């Protein structure tokens, strides 16, 4: 029995050593600076992303892209933030990294919330919550539940928001997540403020502020200070309001968190205006407006327009007041219709989510019963396996004596195999494109004519697909070569997936062009493969700001030896190239033959 226990412990330790995987130290270092110094975090992250792509370490790539998106978001660069978050989400989904996909969806939801895309934000949060529940990620569930509460608070569903916050706090109290508790307490205070209970709101804000003194978390401190400033302003205690607002500004400026800094500047300006300090109020309104405009915070811009109009009216500048009021009314009309539409969609999704959760609870109970039975069976199998291992130890001793006699012979064989493998690796490197890991132009020029000759000799058809990424030069010029290289890797990875279950092969012909050779296949099969590739890339929705479609697409031309009447490689290539020209001149994002 003692021997069996030792074997069990050894096997458990071995499993842990294989399963444990720590993030690279550079990632941890960058993560520490995202809140305090996002620009420095980016200096660490951008080379790390490139290195992960070169090493085909898709998990590290997805994490680093998420961190970079967070850093850009805090710096007030929403376009860059969206690009990196989308790339990270694509990398996680393409390679099956579910935990990282959940993290990216949650971060993307926060980004959408901060720029006023609430319905899209909720969709990301619900997807993240589903993934995190599947893996029993307590802290992740708590964070996403808190974020769903913010959505409900935004549409005025305060009681449901409080339910989410209470659920989130209960989960966070079981972990060491102090920062998350600070934010959730402040969020719950906002919901109570929405219900008209300012006293309860202030108690929650003060609890959050006290908690922030136990840790170094300027974002959480700033959030609590800002909310307290607003509450005291509503109560008419303006000196106390100004004190909390200026502390919120200092906290957000210390970490350069632009999305929250714009809100804090606006709240401080409101207090200055209530104090009749018009110069400071106007200065902070203009600062908030500049920040909100750079981050596309339309609701905040609307509120600033209204306050600038009132400020101008109080100062007797009726011309400016009229101009600001006109801009306020235009924004209010535009946002009202969007808000009503999004509120309906959010409430509908919330209803469906709660109904589905009830079904999931029933299924989980059934699964737990089955799991209990399986565990009993696993224990019996494990015990038998352990006894088998003991017997195998004795057999191993005798077999070792035989192996020692053959050691010299085996050593020579190993050296020979190592040389063969080294030669094979060198040949592979010489034939592989270093960026996309597809065959390179040199390999295509060598193998493509050989396949054509072999098809002719055996009386078989052969097809060729030429593909070209649409508007890729504009993508490179706008977003830079690092983004262009990342795009090429993603397209190549998708192409490999499309060909995974087929005997066909692909090469990077040059720049943004790819060639696919289909031995023993005709035009119909080539059209099927080409359309699969085109549709899969379209469904991936990689953002392209200068494309008419708003995303990365690809055009493809196909031809076969029988369709063009020749097995000559050059003739077949020209036929496919002509078809590609038709696809691009006909509007792109299509297949032609």
């Amino acid at each position: 029995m003692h021997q069996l226990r030792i074997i069990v412990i050894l096997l458990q330790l071995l499993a842990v050593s294989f399963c444990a995987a720590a993030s690279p130290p550079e990632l941890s270092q960058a993560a520490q600076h995202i809140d305090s110094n996002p620009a420095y975090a980016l200096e660490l992250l951008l080379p790390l992303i490139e290195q992960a792509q070169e090493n085909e370490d898709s998990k590290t790539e997805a994490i680093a892209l998420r961190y970079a998106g967070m850093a850009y978001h805090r710096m007030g660069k929403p376009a860059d933030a969206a690009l990196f978050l989308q790339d990270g989400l694509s990398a996680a989904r393409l390679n099956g990294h579910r935990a990282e996909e959940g993290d990216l969806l949650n971060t993307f939801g926060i980004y959408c919330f901060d720029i006023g895309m609430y319905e899209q934000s909720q969709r990301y949060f619900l997807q993240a919550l589903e993934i995190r529940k599947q893996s029993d990620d307590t802290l992740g569930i708590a964070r996403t539940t808190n974020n769903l509460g913010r959505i409900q608070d935004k549409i005025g569903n305060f009681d449901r928001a409080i339910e989410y916050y209470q659920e989130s706090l209960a989960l966070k109290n079981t972990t060491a997540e102090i920062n998350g508790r600070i934010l959730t307490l402040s969020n719950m205070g906002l919901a109570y403020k929405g219900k008209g209970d300012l006293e309860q709101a202030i108690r929650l804000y003060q609890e959050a502020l006290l908690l922030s003194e136990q840790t170094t978390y300027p974002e959480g401190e700033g959030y609590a200070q800002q909310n307290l400033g607003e509450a005291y302003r509503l109560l008419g205690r303006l000196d106390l309001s100004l004190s909390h607002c200026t502390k919120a500004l200092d906290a957000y400026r210390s970490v350069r968190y632009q999305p929250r800094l714009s809100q804090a500047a606006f709240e401080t300006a409101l207090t200055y205006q209530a104090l009749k300090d018009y110069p400071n109020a106007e200065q902070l309104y203009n600062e908030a407006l500049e920040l909100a405009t750079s981050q596309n915070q339309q609701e905040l811009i609307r509120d600033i327009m209204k306050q600038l109009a009132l400020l101008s009216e109080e100062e007797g500048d009726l011309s400016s007041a009229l101009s600001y009021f006109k801009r306020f009314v235009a924004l209010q009309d535009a946002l009202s219709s969007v808000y009503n539409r999004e509120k309906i969609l959010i409430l509908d999704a919330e209803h469906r989510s709660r109904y589905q959760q009830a079904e999931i609870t029933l299924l989980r109970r059934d699964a737990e019963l089955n799991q209990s039975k399986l565990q009993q069976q696993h224990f019996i199998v494990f015990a038998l396996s352990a006894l088998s291992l003991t017997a195998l130890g004795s057999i191993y001793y005798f077999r070792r004596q035989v192996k020692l006699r053959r050691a010299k012979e085996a050593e020579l064989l190993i050296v020979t195999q190592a040389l063969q493998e080294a030669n094979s690796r060198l040949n592979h490197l010489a034939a592989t494109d270093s960026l996309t890991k597809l065959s390179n132009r040199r390999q295509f020029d060598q193998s493509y004519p050989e396949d054509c000759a072999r098809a002719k000799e055996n009386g078989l058809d052969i097809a060729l697909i030429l593909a070209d990424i649409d508007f890729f030069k504009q993508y490179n010029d706008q977003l830079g070569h690092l983004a262009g290289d990342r795009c090429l890797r993603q397209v190549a990875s998708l192409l490999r997936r499309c060909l995974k279950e087929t005997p066909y092969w692909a090469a990077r012909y040059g720049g943004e062009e790819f060639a696919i050779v289909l031995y023993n296949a005709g035009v119909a099969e080539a059209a099927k493969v080409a359309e699969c590739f085109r549709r899969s890339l379209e469904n991936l929705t990689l953002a392209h700001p200068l494309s008419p479609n708003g995303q990365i697409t690809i055009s493809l031309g196909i031809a076969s030896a029988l369709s063009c009447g020749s097995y000559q490689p050059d003739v077949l290539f020209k036929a496919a190239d002509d078809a590609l020209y038709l696809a691009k001149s006909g509007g792109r994002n299509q297949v032609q033959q």
Side-chain angles (χ1 to χ4, degrees):
M1 188 65 187
H2 177 68
Q3 193 175 23
L4 175 60
R5 189 178 294 111
I6 292 173
I7 293 172
V8 170
I9 293 171
L10 288 174
L11 288 173
Q12 289 175 336
L13 290 173
L14 185 63
V16 169
S17 68
F18 275 110
C19 295
S23 297
E26 297 90 340
L27 270 181
S28 300
Q29 186 181 2
Q32 293 172 2
H33 291 283
I34 289 173
D35 289 334
S36 59
N37 193 345
Y40 177 63
L42 279 172
E43 289 181 17
L44 299 174
L45 287 165
L46 295 179
L48 189 59
I49 292 169
E50 189 170 359
Q51 180 184 346
Q53 290 169 343
E54 289 175 357
N55 296 337
E56 294 190 336
D57 183 359
S58 56
K59 183 174 181 178
T60 298
E61 179 189 0
I63 297 171
L65 284 166
R66 180 170 74 90
Y67 286 162
M70 292 168 65
Y72 275 121
H73 181 47
R74 278 161 171 72
M75 292 168 64
K77 297 183 176 180
D80 292 317
L83 178 65
F84 276 79
L85 290 174
Q86 180 64 65
D87 286 349
L89 190 56
S90 299
R93 283 175 168 168
L94 279 171
N95 297 281
H97 301 309
R98 294 287 283 171
E100 286 67 32
E101 182 183 352
D103 291 341
L104 277 150
L105 286 165
N106 189 69
T107 303
F108 227 146
I110 295 170
Y111 161 83
C112 290
F113 183 91
D114 283 347
I115 63 173
M117 297 173 60
Y118 303 122
E119 189 268 331
Q120 180 65 53
S121 174
Q122 187 197 38
R123 278 195 278 139
Y124 282 133
F125 288 148
L126 288 173
Q127 291 174 43
L129 187 63
E130 181 181 352
I131 290 172
R132 287 172 160 179
K133 284 185 174 180
Q134 289 171 3
S135 59
D136 292 325
D137 177 6
T138 302
L139 185 54
I141 295 168
R143 289 172 175 170
T144 303
T145 303
N146 168 78
N147 293 333
L148 284 166
R150 296 176 71 195
I151 296 288
Q152 295 300 314
D153 182 275
K154 198 67 186 179
I155 63 173
N157 196 356
F158 303 122
D159 289 330
R160 180 58 179 146
I162 291 170
E163 288 179 17
Y164 272 126
Y165 294 142
Q166 289 172 337
E167 183 181 344
S168 177
L169 273 179
L171 291 170
K172 286 176 179 176
N173 288 336
T174 66
T175 70
E177 175 73 348
I178 295 179
N179 294 355
R181 285 156 62 194
I182 295 168
L183 293 178
T184 302
L185 285 167
S186 292
N187 287 335
M188 194 183 298
L190 287 173
Y192 276 105
K193 184 205 74 174
K195 292 182 67 175
D197 190 347
L198 267 180
E199 290 185 5
Q200 177 65 8
I202 289 174
R203 281 196 291 270
L204 289 164
Y205 298 150
Q206 289 173 337
E207 185 179 348
L209 190 57
L210 285 172
L211 203 57
S212 72
E213 294 173 359
Q214 300 176 21
T215 184
T216 303
Y217 187 40
E219 180 187 334
E221 178 193 351
Y223 195 34
Q225 295 279 17
Q226 177 188 329
N227 291 330
L228 277 169
E230 180 190 20
Y232 284 126
R233 178 177 57 79
L234 294 172
L235 290 173
R237 302 174 65 179
L238 299 181
D239 290 340
L240 196 53
S241 171
L242 185 60
S243 173
H244 284 295
C245 285
T246 51
K247 288 176 182 176
L249 275 175
D250 291 340
Y252 286 141
R253 281 174 176 155
S254 71
V255 293
R256 305 182 182 121
Y257 191 0
Q258 308 290 33
R260 289 275 173 82
L261 181 57
S262 58
Q263 299 279 355
F266 174 68
E267 187 58 47
T268 311
L270 286 171
T271 304
Y272 273 122
Q273 185 174 354
L275 287 165
K276 307 298 182 184
D277 186 347
Y278 297 140
N280 275 323
E282 185 173 3
Q283 178 185 340
L284 282 168
Y285 281 139
N286 287 326
E287 180 182 345
L289 181 60
E290 182 179 351
L291 289 166
T293 302
S294 70
Q295 297 162 105
N296 196 32
Q297 294 173 303
Q298 292 296 310
E299 289 183 40
L300 181 56
I301 294 171
R302 174 202 61 193
D303 295 341
I304 294 169
M305 289 297 112
K306 178 182 178 181
Q307 291 307 130
L308 282 171
L310 294 172
L311 184 65
S312 298
E313 188 177 10
E314 289 176 27
E315 292 181 309
D317 186 354
L318 298 182
S319 176
S320 296
L322 181 60
S323 175
Y324 285 129
F325 267 124
K326 285 181 178 178
R327 293 170 67 183
F328 162 72
V329 170
L331 280 169
Q332 175 73 354
D333 289 344
L335 288 171
S336 292
S337 60
V338 172
Y339 174 81
N340 290 332
R341 179 183 63 82
E342 291 211 342
K343 182 174 182 179
I344 292 170
L345 291 171
I346 288 168
L347 291 173
D348 179 62
E350 171 72 9
H351 173 75
R352 283 187 280 109
S353 175
R354 299 185 78 170
Y355 176 75
Q356 290 168 352
Q357 187 57 48
E359 290 187 315
I360 290 170
T361 301
L362 291 174
L363 290 171
R364 181 171 289 179
R365 287 175 183 170
D366 186 52
E368 286 172 354
L369 291 173
N370 291 331
Q371 182 66 23
S372 178
K373 295 177 182 177
L374 282 173
Q375 285 175 348
Q376 295 174 4
Q377 295 172 0
H378 287 167
F379 178 78
I380 295 170
V381 172
F382 183 77
L384 292 173
S385 299
L387 291 172
S388 299
L389 284 173
T390 304
L392 286 171
S394 300
I395 297 171
Y396 170 78
Y397 174 79
F398 294 106
R399 291 189 64 184
R400 184 172 179 275
Q401 304 305 312
V402 177
K403 288 182 179 178
L404 287 174
R405 291 198 300 269
R406 298 176 181 172
K408 294 296 181 181
E409 180 181 338
E411 184 178 351
L412 179 62
L413 179 62
I414 290 170
V415 171
T416 303
Q417 289 175 340
L419 287 172
Q420 290 174 345
E421 289 173 3
N423 286 329
S424 176
R425 284 195 298 271
L426 286 172
N427 290 332
H428 175 73
L429 288 173
T432 302
D433 177 63
S434 60
L435 180 66
T436 63
K437 309 306 179 188
L438 297 173
S439 296
N440 58 18
R441 174 69 177 272
R442 176 176 175 270
Q443 180 65 23
F444 176 82
D445 290 342
Q446 177 182 327
S447 298
Y448 166 59
E450 293 175 355
D451 282 354
C452 287
R454 187 158 57 97
K456 181 179 181 180
E457 181 180 347
N458 294 324
L460 301 174
D461 202 356
I462 183 170
L464 178 66
I465 303 173
L466 294 181
D468 187 273
I469 300 175
D470 298 326
F471 304 106
F472 186 74
K473 182 181 183 304
Q474 293 89 328
Y475 185 88
N476 244 347
D477 292 344
Q478 174 76 7
L479 302 177
H481 290 289
L482 181 64
D485 288 350
R486 186 164 58 250
C487 174
L488 288 169
R489 287 192 187 96
Q490 290 175 304
V491 172
S493 176
L494 191 64
L495 177 54
R496 282 195 296 271
R497 289 183 63 192
C498 288
L499 300 180
K500 187 175 181 180
E501 304 298 329
T502 75
Y504 314 133
W505 61 277
R508 183 186 178 194
Y509 189 74
E512 69 274 20
E513 285 190 276
F514 301 88
I516 307 165
V517 180
L518 299 87
Y519 183 81
N520 191 23
V523 169
E525 176 67 11
K528 179 181 175 182
V529 171
E531 179 58 24
C532 172
F533 183 26
R534 185 202 67 78
R535 187 173 59 253
S536 298
L537 181 57
E538 187 177 52
N539 291 340
L540 198 56
T541 61
L542 299 175
H544 186 342
L546 296 182
S547 169
N549 294 320
Q551 65 180 76
I552 291 291
T553 57
I554 199 159
S555 300
L556 306 101
I558 60 176
S560 75
L562 295 182
S563 67
C564 70
S566 175
Y567 282 93
Q568 290 296 320
D570 291 346
V571 175
L572 178 56
F573 189 93
K574 185 178 184 307
D577 194 43
D578 290 343
L580 175 60
Y581 175 79
L582 288 175
K584 296 186 82 68
S585 62
R588 293 182 168 83
N589 190 26
Q590 58 183 266
V591 179
Q592 289 287 349
Q593 61 188 61

